[in-house]
Amino acid sequence: MKPMTSLRFEDSTLHGSLLPEGGETAPHLVARARMFDACHVGVVLRVVLFVEAVVGVAALFATGQVAEWLLRFSLLTGGVLPATLGWLIVVCLLKAPLNRLAPALQWLAGMALGAVVGLYGCGLLALMGLLNSLSWGGSAASGALLSSVVMAGLVWRAKASTPAATAARLAELQSRIRPHFLFNTLNSAIALVRAEPAKAEAVLEDLSELFRHALADPAESVTLGQEVALAQRYLAIEKIRFGDRLQVQWSLDPLADPARLPPLLLQPLVENAVMHGVEPSASGAQIKISTHRRGSTVVIKVSNSSPAGVGTRGHGLALANVRERLMLMHDVQSQFKTVFKNGVFHVRLEVPV
């Protein structure tokens, strides 16, 4: 009954204790680790739009006519846009060493870099002859101010992910450690002890591994391969309970395994499929899990048939948690869609590699 894919706990990025001794609390670690997390397409787009909006407002103070405003806005963009992209590129490239600095030095480094790119933008405009009078001090101060606002947004984004991940984790722990699930699993193992001791041992090993990962210290991300292996253990346990009522079809692409996901993301989707597809139906249901890599994108699909109909609708907490955690990690580079069509409930995820 053990799944084909093996997963060693010591190799998992979920390895850890509940509270690291002598270490910082999880929120501080997350905030510091993502202080300069500017390598996402969504972050770049938001920063560029914010800076351009500031430039547009500033251009209004120098003119009162639309044509003049458009001309001045275009001229300023010629210097501001390259400077903004330069700040983002340098921050992304130096993310690792910058994140190792103390918080005060991180702010100082970010603002100093902002002042430098402000001077760079002013120099570009001067070289193109687009400025009648140069204001090096004002350009440096503007760059430092705008960079501090952007860094504040990155800190807020990092801190926002902590309570969402914690809430999602607690919700999944609550559903995973349900008494009836635990008792049913133990009863299945007890029933197999004398007749098929090897199967009983496999069930208890799978249960132990599942709980070990559920109670491990939450990591920022794990691989899709690890999530698939954990879901296989969960389904191996449920197979003992439901027997032929649970039909599972896997279609896995090994090239998709390196994709990064928030921990414990796939298992709640599979559990939902069992709870709403297999459990309410006397004849059971079929669950399909597939992964496929398309260039720089990985597509993950989880679907389950519903012979018993839609049945009692849940609160949607698991799906909402998955969607929010995926958005917080991959931003606009990820997609999450659900649809119920022709008696089959489909969940489709897209993540970058």
Side-chain angles (χ1 to χ4, degrees):
M1 298 304 297
K2 294 187 69 173
M4 296 300 295
T5 305
S6 61
L7 177 65
R8 295 188 304 166
F9 180 64
E10 58 270 20
D11 292 340
S12 172
T13 57
L14 288 173
H15 189 158
S17 59
L18 291 176
L19 280 176
E21 295 182 1
E24 296 181 84
T25 58
H28 292 97
L29 287 175
V30 173
R32 286 193 59 184
R34 301 180 65 181
M35 177 78 167
F36 293 96
D37 194 7
C39 302
H40 297 280
V41 176
V43 172
V44 173
L45 290 175
R46 291 184 180 93
V47 171
V48 170
L49 289 175
F50 165 72
V51 174
E52 287 294 287
V54 173
V55 171
V57 173
L60 289 173
F61 289 92
T63 179
Q65 298 182 2
V66 175
E68 293 180 3
W69 174 81
L70 288 174
L71 177 60
R72 189 166 186 83
F73 176 72
S74 301
L75 295 178
L76 291 175
T77 296
V80 171
L81 184 57
T84 302
L85 294 177
W87 189 91
L88 291 168
I89 292 173
V90 173
V91 164
C92 181
L93 293 176
L94 300 179
K95 179 173 65 173
L98 288 173
N99 284 331
R100 289 194 289 267
L101 298 175
L105 292 178
Q106 288 182 332
W107 283 96
L108 183 61
M111 294 178 67
L113 181 59
V116 171
V117 298
L119 294 173
Y120 168 71
C122 184
L124 283 179
L125 293 175
L127 288 175
M128 292 184 291
L130 300 178
L131 286 182
N132 297 325
S133 60
L134 300 179
S135 179
W136 298 101
S139 298
S142 299
L145 178 61
L146 288 175
S147 64
S148 66
V149 175
V150 171
M151 291 171 62
L154 292 175
V155 172
W156 174 84
R157 182 176 182 269
K159 290 183 177 181
S161 66
T162 301
T166 302
R169 175 175 164 76
L170 292 176
E172 297 311 325
L173 281 174
Q174 183 178 2
S175 65
R176 192 171 298 108
I177 311 179
R178 295 173 301 174
H180 79 269
F181 169 71
L182 176 60
F183 294 151
N184 287 336
T185 303
L186 292 177
N187 287 335
S188 299
I190 292 172
L192 292 171
V193 166
R194 293 184 179 179
E196 299 179 88
K199 286 186 177 181
E201 182 181 358
V203 170
L204 293 177
E205 287 180 358
D206 289 334
L207 181 64
S208 174
E209 189 69 17
L210 187 65
F211 273 74
R212 189 199 302 265
H213 283 78
L215 295 174
D217 197 27
E220 184 176 349
S221 66
V222 296
T223 65
L224 175 58
Q226 290 172 313
E227 285 290 288
V228 168
L230 196 62
Q232 288 175 328
R233 288 187 178 274
Y234 170 76
L235 289 173
I237 294 173
E238 293 289 41
K239 184 67 175 179
I240 298 295
R241 176 184 172 193
F242 293 105
D244 293 337
R245 291 171 59 194
L246 175 58
Q247 305 169 32
V248 183
Q249 180 179 336
W250 295 90
S251 178
L252 304 178
D253 183 357
L255 297 178
D257 287 348
R260 309 298 297 187
L261 297 172
L264 298 177
L265 192 84
L266 182 60
Q267 191 275 336
L269 298 178
V270 175
E271 184 174 349
N272 256 20
V274 172
M275 185 184 307
H276 297 289
V278 181
E279 192 169 352
S281 173
S283 59
Q286 185 179 58
I287 298 176
K288 296 181 180 180
I289 302 106
S290 66
T291 63
H292 181 61
R293 180 167 179 170
R294 298 176 180 173
S296 60
T297 302
V298 168
V299 179
I300 307 166
K301 297 180 181 178
V302 179
S303 63
N304 65 275
S305 58
S306 300
V310 178
T312 303
R313 299 185 65 89
H315 298 289
L317 293 178
L319 295 179
N321 285 330
V322 169
R323 181 185 292 105
E324 185 174 1
R325 295 173 69 199
L326 196 64
M327 181 66 179
L328 286 168
M329 181 173 179
H330 292 299
D331 209 338
V332 296
Q333 292 177 285
S334 66
Q335 291 186 21
F336 182 91
K337 298 179 181 178
T338 61
V339 62
F340 184 78
K341 183 178 180 180
N342 298 328
V344 180
F345 185 76
H346 302 270
V347 179
R348 187 178 189 274
L349 298 83
E350 288 189 17
V351 295
V353 180

